[in-house]
Amino acid sequence: MTFPGNRRTVALMTASQPIRKLVASDESQEARDKFMLDAVRTDPDTLQHMEDEQIIDLIRDTDAAISRMQAIQLRAIANLSVRRRRAPSAASEVALALSITEHRASAIVSAATALIARLPRMLNLMDDGQLDLYRAMKVTDATSWLSGDHVRVVDAKLEDKVPGRNATQVRRAATYEAAKVDPDGAAERTERKLVERRLALHHHDTGITHLSVNNTPTEKATAAYARIDRTARALKTSDEPRTLDQLRADVAMDLLLSGTGGPSERTEVFLHIDLDTYLGMNESPATLAGRGPVTAAVARRIISGSDTTLRRVLTDPRTGQAVELSPTRYQLDPAHGEFIRVRDQECRQPGCTRPAQNCGIDPTRTQGEAEGDSDQPVTYCSRHRKLKGEPGWDYEVTADSTVNVTTPAGLVHSTTPPSMLSGVRRTNRLRMKPRK
């Protein structure tokens, strides 16, 4: 099989065929990519009979095919954004359609708009299979602050510099060209970035979390690191088993939690764990609200902490859903906000994982009822409370507490209430709304 731009030939075979060379044809690159993909799908042994060089060629060519498809997808996303009059809710539709976070969807919508309107040469490179979405977004991020005239200059400068470079090299090249074409703007951008400084929390799947301070002044970050490093090195004695990296991480957390060495601040979080796991009779994962599953060992470690307060949450034995939260400070009824947050655990928008403690409670129309007649309290984060009121969006709650979200395109995304039962998790479903 011959690929355009070179005369390499890839040998294909089935289990009963010897290796043979396929004659190049005039069919399109897309058709040839599909032919190769079908060949590998129908006969996985095809890969086993290819030489190393041919495997590398296949990896490169499939990557090029992915880049071309991403370019088409970006045009579709930009078109949808235009149809929605560039409303922020367009990102919510994309997030639901692709099962990605809204933060990621917003970034892709912005990148799609920038590539089509401001960076056509970069989009052409994607069409040619020379630039994928990940690297293209390094360019859109690095040039987002440039004027239209300046970004066109950078677009032209990068056309020959981007192909064949990895994401870090692309970002550096784009950043350099942007600063070169508008040095004053680059300085202003640094000031704006300082205004956007924030603390970020990213949970992982193994009971650990990534904590970072973003956009902090370089001199302060350097000084803070030096203080942490100095303390960690002082603790690194001959009988200290922890590595320097481990010591730095522990020192940083101790400083954040206790500051000057005093007692740490007390913060309430919700840990959902079944009784058998709590007693050590099984190893079923527990759930930390807003973070997701944690191992039984991690859950028991949290519970055994000296400053941990336990509260009873009764669940329905059939569904595992919360039905009662034990009162500790006041009498609690099922409509109380604290119970609603414990019951929902997270924002009920499909795909959103913001902890319910950080959400508001919004009345949501009961299925089959008029707005306001029999509304049910449901937790939504601030973003999705606003989205709920956007034109074309409809929210309803069914008898079993399932939340149905209808998008402007008529797609219905449903999310079931979270369950405490092992193996029964909050689920999302997608269907088309029946036409009237």
Side-chain angles (χ1 to χ4, degrees):
M1 179 174 184
T2 304
F3 295 85
N6 59 52
R7 304 306 297 175
R8 297 191 304 270
T9 302
V10 176
L12 296 180
M13 67 170 294
T14 63
S16 60
Q17 272 184 317
I19 295 179
R20 62 188 178 87
K21 294 181 179 180
L22 300 180
V23 178
S25 68
D26 293 331
E27 60 188 344
S28 67
Q29 175 67 45
E30 288 77 9
R32 291 197 291 276
D33 289 340
K34 183 178 185 302
F35 177 76
M36 172 62 78
L37 182 61
D38 290 342
V40 174
R41 280 177 173 171
T42 56
D43 183 14
D45 286 341
T46 297
L47 294 173
Q48 302 300 323
H49 297 285
M50 294 172 67
E51 297 178 358
D52 289 356
E53 183 182 356
Q54 295 169 337
I55 289 289
I56 296 298
D57 288 342
L58 179 59
I59 293 172
R60 288 172 176 164
D61 290 318
T62 52
D63 185 66
I66 291 170
S67 297
R68 287 191 287 271
M69 294 303 296
Q70 287 176 329
I72 296 173
Q73 184 185 60
L74 289 176
R75 288 184 172 89
I77 289 173
N79 184 278
L80 177 67
S81 179
V82 171
R83 294 186 183 199
R84 300 294 182 256
R85 301 181 184 275
R86 304 194 187 282
S89 58
S92 299
E93 281 194 84
V94 173
L96 290 171
L98 299 181
S99 298
I100 58 178
T101 64
E102 294 199 19
H103 178 75
R104 174 66 176 168
S106 296
I108 293 176
V109 171
S110 297
T113 302
L115 286 164
I116 290 173
R118 291 162 52 86
L119 297 158
R121 294 171 187 258
M122 296 300 101
L123 187 61
N124 288 341
L125 289 178
M126 294 186 69
D127 288 329
D128 293 338
Q130 299 185 70
L131 182 67
D132 61 10
L133 176 59
Y134 182 67
R135 289 180 294 153
M137 290 180 71
K138 298 297 182 183
V139 179
T140 59
D141 289 345
T143 60
S144 61
W145 54 278
L146 290 175
S147 67
D149 290 338
H150 285 149
V151 79
R152 281 189 289 273
V153 173
V154 174
D155 191 32
K157 290 279 190 180
L158 292 177
E159 187 173 19
D160 296 327
K161 296 180 179 181
V162 163
R165 293 193 175 190
N166 63 37
T168 300
Q169 293 169 329
V170 169
R171 175 182 57 80
R172 288 176 178 174
T175 301
Y176 174 81
E177 295 296 342
K180 184 178 179 181
V181 76
D182 187 6
D184 292 337
E188 293 175 4
R189 187 189 188 214
T190 299
E191 294 300 320
R192 289 199 301 270
K193 283 292 185 181
L194 291 175
V195 173
E196 297 169 1
R197 58 191 179 276
R198 63 189 178 91
L199 184 69
L201 191 70
H202 299 287
H203 296 299
H204 298 280
D205 297 332
T206 53
I208 60 174
T209 295
H210 179 81
L211 179 68
S212 63
V213 182
N214 298 335
N215 297 345
T216 189
T218 299
E219 68 279 6
K220 288 189 176 182
T222 303
Y225 183 88
R227 176 185 178 185
I228 293 168
D229 181 65
R230 184 167 58 250
T231 305
R233 290 181 183 277
L235 294 172
K236 185 56 178 170
T237 60
S238 58
D239 57 349
E240 172 56 65
R242 289 175 292 179
T243 66
L244 265 177
D245 281 336
Q246 292 170 338
L247 284 167
R248 290 188 193 102
D250 293 344
V251 167
M253 291 306 299
D254 289 343
L255 286 171
L256 285 171
L257 291 172
S258 62
T260 58
S264 60
E265 290 296 323
R266 192 177 178 86
T267 302
E268 184 176 59
V269 296
F270 291 112
L271 176 71
H272 302 267
I273 181 173
D274 65 48
L275 181 61
D276 287 347
T277 302
Y278 169 55
L279 296 175
M281 297 173 63
N282 67 33
E283 295 299 311
S284 300
T287 299
L288 193 62
R291 183 249 176 269
V294 295
T295 64
V298 170
R300 286 192 288 266
R301 188 187 72 213
I302 294 172
I303 289 176
S304 63
S306 59
D307 59 348
T308 298
T309 300
L310 297 179
R311 299 182 65 188
R312 186 185 73 248
V313 179
L314 297 183
T315 61
D316 187 313
R318 298 165 300 170
T319 65
Q321 295 167 13
V323 294
E324 180 186 328
L325 173 66
S326 63
T328 57
R329 295 179 295 277
Y330 41 74
Q331 189 62 37
L332 191 66
D333 62 76
H336 193 280
E338 190 170 12
F339 170 77
I340 300 301
R341 291 185 174 90
V342 170
R343 180 201 67 187
D344 288 352
Q345 298 187 33
E346 298 169 345
C347 170
R348 290 295 303 280
Q349 174 79 7
C352 186
T353 58
R354 185 169 293 277
Q357 304 100 292
N358 300 336
C359 295
I361 298 174
D362 217 42
T364 304
R365 179 177 59 81
T366 302
Q367 187 179 42
E369 302 288 341
E371 191 82 37
D373 287 352
S374 183
D375 291 347
Q376 297 188 42
V378 176
T379 54
Y380 301 103
C381 66
S382 58
R383 178 186 180 92
H384 293 120
R385 290 180 75 184
K386 294 177 182 177
L387 181 65
K388 186 169 172 282
E390 289 288 323
W393 290 82
D394 181 67
Y395 287 68
E396 66 175 14
V397 185
T398 66
D400 65 353
S401 297
T402 295
V403 174
N404 294 328
V405 180
T406 304
T407 71
L411 295 173
V412 181
H413 296 262
S414 301
T415 174
T416 60
S419 171
M420 310 291 182
L421 293 180
S422 174
V424 182
R425 303 303 313 148
R426 168 180 170 180
T427 58
N428 299 326
R429 298 189 300 273
L430 168 65
R431 69 181 189 277
M432 285 295 298
K433 186 175 182 179
R435 296 183 181 276
K436 295 182 179 180

